[in-house]
Amino acid sequence: MEKAAVFDFKNYLAAHTVRPLTHGKSGAEVCLLDDHKIAKFSEKSKLLEKENGAAVWEACLKEAEFYKDIMDLHHAFLPEIFHCHFDDDNVQIIMGEYFPLAKENLTCSDFDKIMELLTQVHELPFPDFLKNEKQEPLEISDEEIQSCLDGWKSVFEEHDSETSGSLDFSKLQELASHINQLNKDMYSSRICLCHGDFHAENILQHEKNSRLILCDWQSVSLKHPASDIAFFMSRLSGDGIVFDENKIIESYCRYSKSGITKDEIKNQIKLSNINTTFRYWHYYLHGSSRDAVENIIKKII
């Protein structure tokens, strides 16, 4: 890895950029380079001009801190990092180029390998910058709850004129009124290092040996292991991909060294699905069919 003190990141981009890729969902800029590398970078001043920019900056910073803290462990599922620098104003990362999974063609064998990968993630030591994270039941602020309800209402309104009837928004309002108490009642103190955004689009393949590589660590945190499993299956469902939930959980338990049981995972998955769906799925469901929206609502109600 080049030393940050002598490495001119901007000149390197100017000399090697093939094309800018789409902006990352976190707000980072991403470029494909001509030496089979990917550059990912963020400028704090630009991000702070945008809505929710402070949170986006913290997420970009967290990923860089993670790579700095963990890269010496040389785990096969981590991307190769050639340059990682962050300060009060910039985050700069250059990593190896990898290739996406064909998520529509995933088989039971693929799901098994993905769960093996996830157990290895959950066995990573806690990075120093996360060790002081508070471990307590999730508590969603009143402001976020209202923002989520507003988001869901906008999804429901897309189907108001359909003759098949309207979706029942009052059920989501009732869920919102009880969600923090539910998190307290079902809280588990089992924690591990979780990726936080574990889905098929963040699982890449090495071109030469098809080795799985996990990228985009901006949401890394300390949580119950079921949160990553739940998020993974939730995204599969949202993409219309068929899978066997029991087999995925059984694969995880078989590879895990923690002694976790299928029942514990399933109970925590229910809780995680409620939180993840309520907080985030209104972003993804705009333009979806009424049946798709209704199926997602049924799963959390």
Side-chain angles (χ1 to χ4, degrees):
M1 188 185 77
E2 297 92 336
K3 293 181 180 179
V6 298
F7 183 66
D8 192 322
F9 183 77
K10 289 186 177 180
N11 281 344
Y12 188 85
L13 288 189
H16 292 280
T17 295
V18 174
R19 67 177 185 274
L21 302 177
T22 181
H23 282 260
K25 289 182 181 178
S26 70
E29 294 186 66
V30 185
C31 292
L32 175 65
L33 307 180
D34 62 6
D35 50 2
H36 302 291
K37 296 183 179 73
I38 297 289
K40 191 172 185 179
F41 53 98
S42 305
E43 293 183 31
K44 185 177 181 179
S45 59
K46 290 183 178 180
L47 289 178
L48 292 182
E49 294 173 357
K50 302 176 182 179
E51 184 179 358
N52 204 32
V56 170
W57 167 252
E58 290 301 321
C60 294
L61 192 60
K62 178 180 280 191
E63 180 176 41
E65 288 181 299
F66 172 78
Y67 285 138
K68 276 282 192 181
D69 224 2
I70 214 82
M71 71 171 93
D72 289 340
L73 297 181
H74 303 296
H75 284 280
F77 57 82
L78 294 175
E80 187 173 5
I81 304 298
F82 297 94
H83 170 73
C84 181
H85 169 75
F86 57 91
D87 54 34
D88 292 340
D89 303 304
N90 295 277
V91 167
Q92 305 168 352
I93 299 170
I94 296 178
M95 64 182 70
E97 180 188 8
Y98 304 99
F99 299 88
L101 291 176
K103 63 181 180 181
E104 298 82 4
N105 301 320
L106 291 173
T107 65
C108 289
S109 176
D110 293 323
F111 290 135
D112 189 72
K113 291 176 182 177
I114 289 170
M115 287 301 104
E116 182 180 16
L117 163 68
L118 186 57
T119 60
Q120 293 169 355
V121 171
H122 290 170
E123 290 165 6
L124 285 173
F126 298 167
D128 288 339
F129 73 94
L130 288 178
K131 286 181 178 178
N132 293 326
E133 268 198 1
K134 290 183 178 180
Q135 299 309 312
E136 55 191 20
L138 174 66
E139 184 170 359
I140 308 173
S141 69
D142 291 342
E143 181 181 19
E144 183 180 356
I145 287 174
Q146 186 58 55
S147 176
C148 292
L149 286 173
D150 292 342
W152 278 107
K153 189 173 183 180
S154 68
V155 172
F156 280 31
E157 286 173 347
E158 293 179 5
H159 303 281
D160 278 352
S161 61
E162 296 178 12
T163 57
S164 55
S166 60
L167 293 155
D168 189 352
F169 187 66
S170 67
K171 291 181 178 179
L172 272 176
Q173 291 175 308
E174 184 177 359
L175 169 64
S177 69
H178 293 95
I179 196 166
N180 282 329
Q181 187 60 49
L182 185 65
N183 280 309
K184 290 178 182 177
D185 292 343
M186 292 188 66
Y187 176 69
S188 169
S189 60
R190 183 195 292 270
I191 62 166
C192 67
L193 185 79
C194 284
H195 180 268
D197 196 19
F198 190 77
H199 59 84
E201 291 175 8
N202 281 339
I203 303 170
L204 308 176
Q205 283 185 309
H206 196 286
E207 182 180 29
K208 293 181 179 179
N209 55 23
S210 297
R211 174 165 47 90
L212 297 183
I213 304 292
L214 185 57
C215 68
D216 286 349
W217 291 82
Q218 289 136 345
S219 300
V220 62
S221 61
L222 305 183
K223 292 183 179 178
H224 192 281
S227 64
D228 274 342
I229 305 172
F231 190 80
F232 176 70
M233 295 195 293
S234 174
R235 285 293 297 267
L236 291 177
S237 294
D239 290 335
I241 296 172
V242 177
F243 61 94
D244 187 322
E245 176 179 310
N246 286 318
K247 286 185 178 179
I248 286 179
I249 296 172
E250 287 166 1
S251 290
Y252 181 89
C253 291
R254 185 169 67 254
Y255 288 114
S256 177
K257 301 174 183 177
S258 70
I260 195 170
T261 66
K262 181 178 175 181
D263 285 344
E264 179 184 345
I265 290 175
K266 293 191 82 167
N267 281 332
Q268 290 299 312
I269 280 177
K270 291 175 184 177
L271 179 63
S272 185
N273 276 339
I274 289 170
N275 286 306
T276 298
T277 305
F278 177 71
R279 297 174 75 192
Y280 304 117
W281 268 99
H282 54 91
Y283 294 114
Y284 299 105
L285 287 171
H286 285 288
S288 299
S289 68
R290 182 182 182 279
D291 285 344
V293 176
E294 195 168 54
N295 286 335
I296 294 295
I297 296 302
K298 284 179 180 178
K299 287 180 180 179
I300 63 170
I301 298 300

